[in-house]
Amino acid sequence: MLVGHGTRDEDGTRQFFELADVLAQSLDPMPVEPALLEFQSPTIGEAWKQLVESGVTHIHVAPLLLFAAGHAKQDIPSIVAESHLATPEITWSQSRPLSRHRAIVDLAIERGQVAVANCETPRLQRACVFVGRGSHDPCAQADTRVLAHIVGHRLDVAQTITAFYAMAKPDLPTVLDAAAASGRYTEIVVQPHLLFAGRLHQAVVKQVEEAALKHPHVRFLMSDYLGPEPRVARAIAELSLA
């Protein structure tokens, strides 16, 4: 069972189901059922029922989450446990989030490198702002910072700075203002470490656009999100089969 967060954004929803199809192809003949925590169907309960009716005896739950926080540690296990009560003969397990799986690290580095390749100034005049969604969970915050350090080490920039969209500090507008006002950089690459399109990505784009208006002497560039990429599916499959 591939469990995504869910979004009201049509593109983000489409990309989630595209990734579920890619994962199903890679795990065939093992059945794969997508499920969503919020906003949409199928729910975890509906996906569980579908898998049980298909004849499986064990369900592996794969959270499509970048870091381990409340959804992975509490919400998903709690909802799955409720479904399990109705079918106690079915066993289940859950893999950890994608975090720093090698395929995710490689893909994040590639996204950053593509954006940096569009820079026009020398390395010492470039910075990268690596943006995580943000969480109250200190472990998720730390994991974001570690990944930002790993990715930044492979980018041709003078500095990589971690920022968060919500629930953690420093927030993205503060980081963008400080980096632009420092006078050190003429180009700033913003790398949103997100899975898909959606309202969160749109909000990050808006904050970058606002920073660009406020600091016209700095050129802001953005890297792409991860997307429904085969490497994301490979990470999910390897974590599920470990």
Side-chain angles (χ1 to χ4, degrees):
M1 183 192 302
L2 179 67
V3 182
H5 184 277
T7 174
R8 293 187 177 93
D9 183 83
E10 291 184 5
D11 288 336
T13 299
R14 173 181 52 78
Q15 290 169 357
F16 168 73
F17 286 107
E18 284 180 11
L19 180 63
D21 289 341
V22 174
L23 180 64
Q25 293 170 16
S26 67
L27 291 177
D28 185 62
M30 185 185 299
V32 173
E33 284 293 329
L36 293 157
L37 266 175
E38 298 178 340
F39 308 127
Q40 299 145 305
S41 293
T43 63
I44 290 175
E46 291 167 344
W48 180 280
K49 182 180 179 181
Q50 182 65 34
L51 287 168
V52 171
E53 291 177 350
S54 73
V56 305
T57 57
H58 178 83
I59 296 175
H60 183 81
V61 179
L64 184 57
L65 301 169
L66 291 171
F67 301 107
H71 287 321
K73 295 178 180 179
Q74 288 96 36
D75 300 338
I76 292 175
S78 176
I79 298 171
V80 171
E82 290 178 7
S83 299
H84 180 249
L85 287 175
T87 52
E89 71 280 8
I90 305 298
T91 59
W92 68 279
S93 57
Q94 179 178 318
S95 54
R96 60 183 176 85
L98 299 171
S99 189
R100 296 191 300 278
H101 185 282
R102 183 71 250 177
I104 299 300
V105 173
D106 289 345
L107 183 54
I109 290 170
E110 180 181 295
R111 292 289 185 261
Q113 288 175 335
V114 169
V116 171
N118 292 316
C119 289
E120 300 171 349
T121 53
R123 177 181 181 276
L124 291 178
Q125 296 177 27
R126 309 169 184 167
C128 173
V129 176
F130 189 92
V131 188
R133 181 184 187 276
S135 169
H136 294 301
D137 190 296
C139 293
Q141 295 176 27
D143 282 348
T144 304
R145 292 187 176 94
V146 171
L147 181 59
H149 176 76
I150 293 170
V151 172
H153 186 68
R154 297 286 299 276
L155 301 183
D156 193 19
V157 296
Q159 183 184 16
T160 299
I161 311 163
T162 305
F164 298 95
Y165 174 73
M167 296 181 284
K169 297 294 183 182
D171 60 85
L172 179 57
T174 298
V175 170
L176 293 179
D177 282 344
S182 70
R184 296 177 58 191
Y185 309 114
T186 54
E187 292 182 307
I188 297 174
V189 173
V190 180
Q191 180 164 355
H193 189 60
L194 303 171
L195 280 163
F196 303 126
R199 295 187 178 184
L200 178 54
H201 182 261
Q202 293 165 6
V204 170
V205 170
K206 183 179 179 181
Q207 290 184 349
V208 174
E209 291 173 344
E210 290 171 350
L213 290 173
K214 188 174 180 180
H215 304 281
H217 61 289
V218 176
R219 181 176 179 234
F220 291 87
L221 302 89
M222 283 193 66
S223 71
D224 203 358
Y225 46 75
L226 300 179
E229 237 260 4
R231 279 171 285 184
V232 178
R234 185 170 82 241
I236 298 164
E238 291 180 358
L239 289 168
S240 299
L241 299 174

